[in-house]
Amino acid sequence: MARKWWTLLATCVAMFMLLLDITIVNVALPQIQKDLDASFSDLQWVVDAYALTLASLLLTAGSLGDRIGRRRVFTIGFGIFTVASLACGLATDPTMLNLFRAVQGIGAAGMLATTLALIAQEFHGPERATAFGIWGATIGGAVAIGPLVGGVLTDGLGWEWIFFVNVPIGIAAIALTLNKLAESRAPDAEPVDWPGAATFSASLFLLVFGLVRGNPEGWSSFQIEASLIGAAALMLAFLAIQMRSSHPMLDLSLFRKPAFVGVSLVSFALHSGMFAMFLYITIYIQSVLGFDALEAGVRFLPITLLSFFVAPVAGRLLTRIPARIFFGLGMGLIGFGLLLMHGLSVDSEWTALLAGFLIAGAGIGMVNPAIGSVAVGVVAPAKAGMASGINNTFRQVGIATGIAGLGAVFQSEIASRLPDTAPSDAAEGIASAGPGAAAQGGPQAVDAAREAFVGAFNEILLIGAIIAFTGAVFGFFLTRERDLVTEGAPEEAIPEGEPAAA
């Protein structure tokens, strides 16, 4: 098999694993909560700790890949991810689990930041569109199989196995990478922007921390106000560093291209409006409708399988249809799908979600290949690592802030419907097996808790739809074909043992 296909296989395995570790975890959260005595905030951090470090380090990992070798950074990231997965499975309390979830995110950053650049290095012309279609289908596949695999492992072996399963796959993928992939670097790579990396990471952490802890601590508390103000101040410092640096980790000049702004906003909207919603959809299916992890995974199949089958078709059509059409139509379908899920009542069956699942699944399948193609298509090959890192940063920032932001609204809405219950206590009680702690007062309290949950869930579905429609508008009007870079000669692979370019 030709080297380019080995490269596509390795990068798709990496994408599958790191995205699987978002979707596969969702259906295991109720069981994790029981076994580790976790709070609702802890559950948010199981997902956010991973997304946060992943988002924080993507730009740094992309720059490192351009400088010291994309295959090298990819392999190191895979190794960290695999070891951290083992540690997550051995966790005995929520703090330990979330700590190693953060370490998993560090490894995932090295993998994710280099996948698009590695693919772009090996594929050119019409084959590149095909490769991105397969890449997009892999994302759809991870979303498709994640809830089902998570349900099988959680019900059959225990939640720990959703992490243990990464270990043998990771070892095999690292061996494949070392034996089959060629090294590549940017010919004139610049030094890593460490001040930029530090300020960006700290800003993002404070933002997510403030959103997650806002309801429990009180939005007017010193801790939350200081976190949010600090996040804004550090982000301004980061932008100032980028404007003055001779080697910025975030090349702000890229945002002069409307297409780059468009694909970045679409990535953010897709993940903050739709992918972040999977956490709350999972809690609704398991804790309100009463399905176990495997049954919940099966009920996710309509949305996930449709996205899997639509993605490769969309990838092939990208050579004939402008990406802006996929952004506008795909994000519009996602928004419409979320609106179809809106309007649930306490008597609704899971089939009330079905039409929305199908429509949103088709939209996800249309958008993902176009994101991959445009993200690296607007820059010269030498900046593919940076462009890939920036785009994937918008993806992960979308998930982290989406979960935190939707969670803040979710808890606040529950509190407004259960005025005698603290928002975090109400959410925590409902998220455990049944209404639980939020409904200790008997059947009437159970009904009130369920009604509060469903009402709050409807509110965040509406917010997710608005985010998706906004992404559709920006994606359609900003993504111009003339902004895409005409492919030049590919970078040459670097023979083993040859020193990195300075």
Side-chain angles (χ1 to χ4, degrees):
M1 189 163 67
R3 187 183 71 200
K4 60 185 176 184
W5 298 110
W6 285 116
T7 300
L8 183 61
L9 175 62
T11 54
C12 284
V13 168
M15 282 297 297
F16 189 85
M17 285 181 65
L18 63 90
L19 289 175
L20 194 69
D21 253 51
I22 296 175
T23 58
I24 199 173
V25 165
N26 282 334
V27 295
L29 290 176
Q31 192 61 50
I32 291 173
Q33 184 181 40
K34 288 180 186 176
D35 288 357
L36 301 184
D37 193 25
S39 67
F40 182 77
S41 179
D42 289 330
L43 294 186
Q44 290 178 289
W45 277 112
V46 171
V47 180
D48 265 354
Y50 177 76
L52 183 60
T53 52
L54 176 50
S56 300
L57 296 174
L58 272 169
L59 294 177
T60 304
S63 297
L64 277 173
D66 288 343
R67 182 168 179 79
I68 69 172
R70 291 155 187 161
R71 189 190 72 167
R72 181 177 298 173
V73 171
F74 180 79
T75 306
I76 293 171
F78 231 137
I80 294 172
F81 181 88
T82 302
V83 173
S85 295
L86 177 62
C88 285
L90 298 173
T92 55
D93 59 63
T95 301
M96 182 178 175
L97 174 60
N98 290 331
L99 174 63
F100 285 109
R101 282 287 284 169
V103 177
Q104 260 193 320
I106 295 172
M111 298 156 63
L112 185 56
T114 50
T115 52
L116 288 178
L118 287 167
I119 293 172
Q121 161 62 28
E122 296 289 347
F123 290 89
H124 307 277
E127 279 192 337
R128 179 179 285 187
T130 301
F132 281 128
I134 296 171
W135 179 83
T138 301
I139 295 175
V143 175
I145 200 172
L148 189 59
V149 172
V152 170
L153 292 175
T154 301
D155 284 351
L157 298 173
W159 64 265
E160 298 90 347
W161 282 90
I162 66 176
F163 299 111
F164 290 154
V165 73
N166 291 334
V167 178
I169 299 173
I171 292 171
I174 291 169
L176 169 65
T177 301
L178 293 174
N179 285 296
K180 297 294 185 180
L181 271 64
E183 186 60 280
S184 67
R185 306 177 180 91
D188 298 311
E190 297 171 334
V192 177
D193 177 18
W194 295 114
T199 51
F200 180 81
S201 300
S203 172
L204 186 57
F205 175 81
L206 289 176
L207 173 62
V208 173
F209 178 83
L211 291 174
V212 169
R213 298 300 303 167
N215 278 312
E217 302 294 337
W219 291 99
S220 60
S221 68
F222 173 78
Q223 184 182 51
I224 300 306
E225 288 184 349
S227 294
L228 297 178
I229 293 171
L234 285 167
M235 184 55 66
L236 290 175
F238 168 72
L239 294 175
I241 290 169
Q242 300 311 288
M243 287 188 287
R244 299 188 178 200
S245 175
S246 59
H247 49 274
M249 64 183 288
L250 175 60
D251 186 352
L252 296 177
S253 67
L254 291 175
F255 290 95
R256 295 173 188 165
K257 288 189 174 185
F260 193 80
V261 177
V263 70
S264 300
L265 292 177
V266 168
S267 295
F268 180 86
L270 172 63
H271 288 77
S272 62
M274 186 69 244
F275 280 79
M277 194 70 68
F278 284 151
L279 169 64
Y280 302 100
I281 294 174
T282 300
I283 295 175
Y284 170 74
I285 291 175
Q286 291 188 249
S287 298
V288 175
L289 299 183
F291 293 107
D292 63 27
L294 177 57
E295 292 169 336
V298 170
R299 281 155 182 79
F300 268 107
L301 287 177
I303 187 171
T304 54
L305 285 179
L306 199 58
S307 68
F308 175 73
F309 287 115
V310 169
V313 177
R316 287 194 295 272
L317 292 175
L318 276 169
T319 58
R320 289 176 282 174
I321 300 175
R324 66 200 294 258
I325 302 299
F326 291 97
F327 288 157
L329 181 57
M331 292 301 297
L333 287 175
I334 291 168
F336 183 50
L338 288 169
L339 282 182
L340 288 176
M341 297 180 217
H342 180 265
L344 299 168
S345 71
V346 291
D347 298 320
S348 295
E349 301 290 338
W350 83 270
T351 50
L353 300 170
L354 184 57
F357 274 9
L358 293 171
I359 299 296
I364 293 169
M366 294 178 67
V367 172
N368 269 322
I371 289 176
S373 179
V374 175
V376 295
V378 294
V379 298
K383 289 191 175 182
M386 176 185 287
S388 174
I390 293 171
N391 181 260
N392 285 312
T393 296
F394 274 88
R395 288 176 181 264
Q396 300 308 317
V397 169
I399 289 178
T401 58
I403 287 174
L406 292 174
V409 174
F410 178 75
Q411 293 183 62
S412 179
E413 286 293 324
I414 287 179
S416 70
R417 291 167 167 80
L418 297 173
D420 296 329
T421 307
S424 56
D425 291 340
E428 178 182 337
I430 300 170
S432 54
Q440 295 291 330
Q444 289 185 337
V446 171
D447 291 341
R450 286 167 57 86
E451 192 167 329
F453 183 101
V454 173
F457 184 45
N458 279 322
E459 290 299 318
I460 62 174
L461 283 169
L462 184 60
I463 293 171
I466 293 171
I467 294 171
F469 286 133
T470 303
V473 172
F474 281 119
F476 181 80
F477 287 104
L478 293 178
T479 309
R480 311 175 304 181
E481 291 296 301
R482 64 177 178 270
D483 288 337
L484 302 183
V485 175
T486 302
E487 287 187 51
E491 298 170 15
E492 294 184 1
I494 299 169
E496 288 298 322
E498 189 167 307

